[in-house]
C-alpha cells in the first residue's frame, strides 16, 4: 500500500516503538504510586514532558498530557469559559477549524457563550481586518489553528495572538497539524498538539499552557496532572510521544526539505487539469488538496484500493458530507466532491508518490472518458 494520508495519522517511527516497548512489556507500574517502580515511571513521564516542551519551542509555560488533542481542545475552550466566570463571554473562531474546535464552540454557544465564526477567503485565509472589527472587551478567547488539516493553509498566529492580547482576550491555537512539521508560532496562551500526527502513538495529546493561564479542569478525579487533569497517565504513551517529539526536533530541517521535494514531484507527476485548493504560498506543503472538474473523488478512492488518500478530512470522508472547509472556501457541492487530499511526509519515498500520482491522474482521465 502507498500511504498518502499523513493528515489523518502518521506511521509510528521505529525509534518510537522501540522506546515504548519496555513500558508495555515489563515496566507496568502506576506512575502515580510511591513505589520505586512508580517513581521510575513518573521520571520517564517527566523526561517525555520536557521532550515535548522542547520540541514545541514555546517559552513561559508547560505541558499537560491528555488522552487526545480533542480532549486538549475541549479542555482549553470549556475550561477557560468556566474560569472566566462570565466576565467575558464571547469566543471568536474561524469557519475552517477542525470539528474538535467548531463543535466545542457550538456546544459553548448552547451554554450561553456568544460565538462568532469568521469566514475565510477563497485562499482559505482569514482577513485580519474582520477579526480586528470583532475584537472588543467582551471577547474571552480567539481560537485559530496554525495549519489546516484539510487544505494545509496556515494562519499568522503570532499576529492574531497580538491582536487578541491587545483586546485583553486569550489566544488558543490548535497546532495539531503544525507541530513537528513547521515551527510553532509564538504568542498563544494555550496550544493543543497530538502524538499520532508526529509519528507517535494514538491516544495521547497535550495542552501547552502559559503560566497563569491554566484552564479549569475538564476531567475530575485524582488530579494526577498537576491537579488540573485526572486519570492515570500511560508511561508507554507519554514515552512514545516524547521520543516522537525529540525525533521531530532533530529531523526538522531534513523532514521539511523532504516534504518540499515531494510537493514538487507530486505537482509535476499529476499533470494538467488540477487546481490546488487553498493558498499554495501560505501552506504546509505536505498537504496537497486539489480538485479536478467532473471528478468523483469517492469513486477514485474506491477504484484505487492500494493507495490510501482522502476526500478532505478523515471525518468528512466518513460522513459523506462535503467538507465544511472546502465549502468555506466558496467551492460548490460539485467542486467539493471533486476534491482529494494527498498527505505525505517523512517515510514517503519520491518514487511511490510519483507512481501514485501518475496512477491517480490516469484513473481521473479514465473517469472523464467513461462519463463523456
Ligand atoms: N485538530 C486537528 C487540526 C486535527 O487534524 C486533529 C486530528 O485529525 C485533531 C485536532 C484531533 O486530534 P486527536 O486525534 O489527537 O484527537
Amino acid at each position: 500500500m502507498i500511504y498518502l494520508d499523513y493528515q489523518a495519522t502518521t506511521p509510528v517511527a521505529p525509534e518510537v516503538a522501540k522506546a515504548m516497548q519496555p513500558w508495555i512489556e515489563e515496566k507496568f507500574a502506576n506512575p502515580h504510586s510511591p513505589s520505586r517502580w512508580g517513581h521510575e515511571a513518573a521520571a520517564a513521564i517527566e523526561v517525555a514532558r520536557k521532550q515535548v516542551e522542547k520540541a514545541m519551542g514555546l517559552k513561559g509555560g508547560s505541558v499537560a498530557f491528555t488522552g487526545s488533542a480533542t480532549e486538549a481542545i475541549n479542555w482549553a475552550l470549556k475550561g477557560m469559559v468556566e474560569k472566566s466566570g462570565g466576565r467575558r463571554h464571547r469566543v471568536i473562531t474561524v469557519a475552517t477549524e477542525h470539528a474538535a474546535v467548531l463543535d466545542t464552540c457550538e456546544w459553548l454557544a448552547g451554554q450561553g457563550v456568544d460565538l462568532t465564526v469568521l469566514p475565510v477567503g477563497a485562499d482559505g485565509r482569514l482577513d485580519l481586518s474582520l477579526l480586528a472589527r470583532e475584537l472588543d472587551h467582551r471577547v474571552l478567547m480567539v481560537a485559530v489553528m496554525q495549519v489546516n488539516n484539510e487544505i494545509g493553509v496556515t494562519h499568522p498566529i503570532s499576529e492574531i495572538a497580538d491582536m487578541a492580547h491587545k483586546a485583553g482576550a486569550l489566544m488558543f491555537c490548535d497546532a495539531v497539524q503544525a507541530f513537528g512539521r513547521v515551527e510553532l508560532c509564538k504568542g498563544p496562551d494555550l496550544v493543543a498538539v497530538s502524538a499520532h500526527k508526529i509519528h507517535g502513538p494514538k491516544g495521547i495529546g497535550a495542552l501547552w499552557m502559559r503560566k497563569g493561564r491554566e484552564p479549569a479542569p475538564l476531567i475530575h478525579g485524582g488530579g494526577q496532572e498537576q491537579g488540573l487533569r485526572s486519570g492515570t497517565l500511560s508511561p508507554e504513551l507519554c514515552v512514545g510521544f516524547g521520543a516522537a517529539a525529540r525525533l521531530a526536533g532533530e529531523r526538522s530541517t531534513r523532514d521539511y526539505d523532504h516534504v518540499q521535494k515531494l510537493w514538487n514531484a507530486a505537482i509535476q507527476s499529476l499533470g494538467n487539469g488540477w487546481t490546488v485548493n487553498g493558498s499554495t504560498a501560505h501552506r504546509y506543503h505536505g498537504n496537497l488538496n486539489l480538485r479536478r472538474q467532473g471528478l468523483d473523488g469517492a469513486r477514485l478512492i474506491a477504484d484505487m484500493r492500494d493507495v490510501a488518500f482522502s476526500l478532505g478530512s478523515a471525518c468528512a470522508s466518513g460522513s459523506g458530507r462535503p467538507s465544511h472547509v472546502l465549502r468555506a472556501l466558496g467551492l460548490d457541492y460539485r467542486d467539493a466532491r471533486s476534491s482529494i487530499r494527498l498527505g505525505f511526509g517523512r517515510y514517503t519515498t519520491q518514487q511511490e508518490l510519483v507512481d501514485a500520482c501518475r496512477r491517480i491522474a490516469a484513473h481521473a482521465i479514465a473517469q472523464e472518458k467513461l462519463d463523456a
Side-chain angles (χ1 to χ4, degrees):
M1 188 190 38
I2 302 178
Y3 185 75
L4 300 180
D5 207 7
Y6 267 59
Q7 279 69 43
T9 197
T10 53
V12 173
E15 295 90 335
V16 168
K18 195 163 168 226
M20 290 174 69
Q21 206 166 3
W23 299 97
I24 299 170
E25 291 181 349
E26 303 148 37
K27 302 173 183 232
F28 58 86
N30 185 324
H32 313 292
S33 83
S35 68
R36 184 162 63 82
W37 296 281
H39 283 306
E40 192 194 3
I45 288 173
E46 291 319 305
V47 170
R49 193 188 309 281
K50 291 280 167 270
Q51 288 170 324
V52 174
E53 287 171 352
K54 187 174 175 205
M56 289 181 82
L58 305 173
K59 297 277 175 282
S62 61
V63 145
F65 289 115
T66 59
S68 61
T70 300
E71 183 197 321
I73 291 165
N74 271 262
W75 180 18
L77 296 171
K78 293 176 183 170
M80 275 306 180
V81 168
E82 189 187 328
K83 193 176 180 183
S84 134
R87 282 190 302 280
R88 287 178 173 240
H89 57 270
R90 281 190 73 198
V91 171
I92 300 178
T93 190
V94 179
T96 49
E97 290 291 305
H98 189 274
V101 170
L102 285 179
D103 287 7
T104 304
C105 286
E106 289 295 344
W107 184 88
L108 286 168
Q111 305 293 308
V113 165
D114 185 1
L115 174 65
T116 302
V117 182
L118 296 174
V120 292
D123 62 355
R125 298 200 91 214
L126 174 65
D127 175 352
L128 295 191
S129 68
L130 292 183
L131 175 63
R133 233 182 284 158
E134 294 293 336
L135 279 169
D136 60 25
H137 65 281
R138 293 167 302 167
V139 178
L140 169 67
M141 178 136 59
V142 177
V144 185
M145 69 199 331
Q146 186 171 338
V147 174
N148 185 274
N149 50 304
E150 293 196 36
I151 53 176
V153 167
T154 56
H155 291 298
I157 296 301
S158 297
E159 218 176 313
I160 294 170
D162 270 355
M163 291 170 73
H165 290 154
K166 281 196 181 115
L170 298 163
M171 168 77 192
F172 166 73
C173 181
D174 172 351
V176 168
Q177 296 287 340
F179 185 39
R181 295 173 176 170
V182 296
E183 194 177 329
L184 292 194
C185 295
K186 315 283 184 284
D189 303 287
L190 296 154
V191 180
V193 293
S194 185
H196 74 100
K197 311 288 184 180
I198 65 161
H199 307 285
K202 292 166 190 63
I204 181 163
L207 183 64
W208 183 89
M209 303 168 286
R210 188 176 297 288
K211 197 165 167 33
R213 300 274 192 265
E214 296 84 359
L218 176 70
I219 297 184
H220 302 271
Q224 286 91 339
E225 270 293 71
Q226 305 150 50
L228 292 169
R229 192 262 184 190
S230 295
T232 304
L233 286 175
S234 158
E236 65 261 34
L237 294 180
C238 294
V239 165
F241 195 178
R246 181 182 49 79
L247 210 57
E250 285 167 8
R251 298 184 48 123
S252 62
T253 309
R254 213 174 354 145
D255 284 352
Y256 187 85
D257 291 348
H258 181 55
V259 159
Q260 298 299 323
K261 279 196 199 114
L262 293 175
W263 166 275
N264 293 334
I267 296 272
Q268 235 178 24
S269 40
L270 280 163
N272 298 327
W274 299 90
T275 306
V276 175
N277 290 322
S279 169
T280 49
H282 300 284
R283 187 187 196 99
Y284 168 63
H285 283 138
N287 178 322
L288 179 53
N289 189 318
L290 21 74
R291 65 182 189 273
R292 186 181 180 95
Q293 209 183 354
L295 180 75
D296 181 340
R299 209 165 99 204
L300 187 70
I301 288 173
D303 285 349
M304 300 193 62
R305 291 204 163 270
D306 60 339
V307 183
F309 59 105
S310 178
L311 274 183
S313 76
C315 326
S317 298
S319 71
R321 274 181 290 145
S323 138
H324 71 280
V325 174
L326 298 181
R327 299 302 298 274
L329 262 58
L331 266 63
D332 64 17
Y333 183 79
R334 258 204 329 234
D335 278 344
R337 297 295 295 259
S338 300
S339 296
I340 56 169
R341 182 187 68 188
L342 308 179
F344 35 82
R346 185 185 300 165
Y347 301 112
T348 314
T349 67
Q350 186 157 329
Q351 190 55 54
E352 64 179 349
L353 181 62
V354 165
D355 282 354
C357 287
R358 286 191 183 138
R359 284 173 52 208
I360 286 170
H363 272 273
I365 290 165
Q367 251 191 33
E368 276 163 23
K369 285 189 182 142
L370 216 64
D371 295 342

